[in-house]
Amino acid sequence: MAEVSKVLDVAGVSKRFGDNEVLSDVSFQVDKGETVCVLGPSGSGKSTLLRCINWLERPDAGQVYLNGLQVGISGAGIVMTDRELSRIRTRIGMVFQHFALWPHLTVLQNLMEAPVQVQRRSKAEVRDEALALLSKVGLLEKQKAFPAKLSGGQKQRVGIARALAMKPDLLLFDEPTSALDPELVGEVLLVMRDLAREGRTMVIVTHEMAFAREAATRILFLDRGRVIETAAPDRFFAQPETERARQFVQRYAGDMAGRQ
């Protein structure tokens, strides 16, 4: 049996802001091809966890490894330079809640900017790949549009394509549908489901429970900055082990019943 390749290893990560401990000794691993959905109530530290993975927030304790390379530390406890951090972040794609597109660039230019400027790849090669990605997310006809002319759902799909343009080893999604009108959520989740089926390695912070149940290979449940449960989605939603997770799932079931 072939050995599974571990892409992400989060080991004992803690983070506090002043007196507020946001993350406490968080540890988990993500294997190649896994889709891990991070669930939990508001304020449980989910978004901070993602930002610690790529060192947009510096953890107070613990380590993060991407394919065995320690993120943020270059060796002997020395913090990486900004250039070293930028280099490793090219291997971690981040899709933000509020899109974070460059407003002065067209959709196609948004996809091409980092591969050309950061990875120093040829414009012709990057352009062909960017057009293919725009076709993949259903926005090829918007290649010359500026972000201001796009809907929220279109902006987020461009954000996903832009992250993919860097050919990352790991994709992080920080509540990618929470800023969208309800009718636009589905088009973004459809793209994300396709990525999960392709076997992309992803960590997704989301409040979309039906999506998590369908697309995730594993659920990571956070409460008050701690991982209190991890399980396959069918087991988590059917038979959560902890009382806090049971309360969370029951509320989700109630919300879903109210929408019917």
Side-chain angles (χ1 to χ4, degrees):
M1 182 176 179
E3 183 178 350
V4 177
S5 174
K6 181 169 60 181
V7 173
L8 178 67
D9 186 358
V10 177
V13 165
S14 297
K15 178 66 181 178
R16 65 169 57 245
F17 296 102
D19 294 331
N20 182 24
E21 187 176 45
V22 181
L23 296 173
S24 179
D25 195 26
V26 173
S27 298
F28 67 99
Q29 299 175 347
V30 180
D31 291 328
K32 186 175 182 179
E34 273 200 290
T35 296
V36 175
C37 282
V38 183
L39 308 182
S42 297
S44 58
K46 302 184 299 296
S47 293
T48 300
L49 174 59
L50 289 196
R51 294 176 67 84
C52 284
I53 289 173
N54 62 10
W55 265 54
L56 289 174
E57 294 287 353
R58 180 176 174 177
D60 295 321
Q63 296 83 38
V64 177
Y65 298 90
L66 180 70
N67 288 325
L69 177 65
Q70 191 170 355
V71 181
I73 303 292
S74 58
I78 300 171
V79 176
M80 285 181 170
T81 65
D82 289 343
R83 172 177 281 189
E84 289 171 324
L85 268 174
S86 294
R87 188 178 301 120
I88 199 167
R89 283 187 186 130
T90 65
R91 298 165 60 186
I92 304 175
M94 183 82 169
V95 179
F96 296 91
Q97 181 177 346
H98 293 288
F99 322 127
L101 301 178
W102 290 298
H104 63 291
L105 300 180
T106 66
V107 165
L108 182 59
Q109 289 168 338
N110 261 277
L111 266 66
M112 292 181 61
E113 182 72 7
V116 171
Q117 298 299 327
V118 178
Q119 295 179 328
R120 302 298 182 186
R121 295 165 55 200
S122 75
K123 286 187 178 180
E125 175 191 0
V126 170
R127 186 179 187 277
D128 288 345
E129 291 179 0
L131 291 173
L133 287 170
L134 287 176
S135 180
K136 180 185 185 71
V137 301
L139 290 173
L140 184 60
E141 76 283 359
K142 297 292 185 180
Q143 61 180 282
K144 296 181 180 179
F146 287 90
K149 298 297 184 180
L150 303 179
S151 70
Q154 290 171 337
K155 290 177 184 176
Q156 196 58 288
R157 283 186 281 157
V158 172
I160 294 171
R162 185 178 66 174
L164 291 170
M166 295 293 284
K167 300 183 177 181
D169 299 324
L170 173 68
L171 284 167
L172 306 177
F173 292 80
D174 186 10
E175 299 190 13
T177 60
S178 64
L180 302 180
D181 292 333
E183 64 269 21
L184 301 177
V185 168
E187 65 190 53
V188 174
L189 294 181
L190 182 62
V191 171
M192 294 171 64
R193 285 188 182 96
D194 286 344
L195 294 177
R197 281 192 287 265
E198 290 174 8
R200 301 274 184 173
T201 307
M202 302 188 289
V203 179
I204 303 171
V205 170
T206 183
H207 289 294
E208 299 292 337
M209 298 298 110
F211 167 81
R213 187 167 193 168
E214 175 188 347
T217 55
R218 186 156 43 99
I219 301 295
L220 200 73
F221 183 71
L222 264 64
D223 186 49
R224 298 182 181 180
R226 296 178 179 272
V227 177
I228 64 171
E229 194 160 338
T230 181
D234 287 346
R235 180 173 179 179
F236 176 81
F237 286 103
Q239 294 179 312
E241 294 182 356
T242 64
E243 179 59 29
R244 186 66 186 91
R246 281 192 289 272
Q247 293 171 354
F248 183 86
V249 169
Q250 287 170 2
R251 179 178 178 182
Y252 150 68
D255 289 345
M256 291 299 294
R259 294 177 192 174
Q260 295 176 350

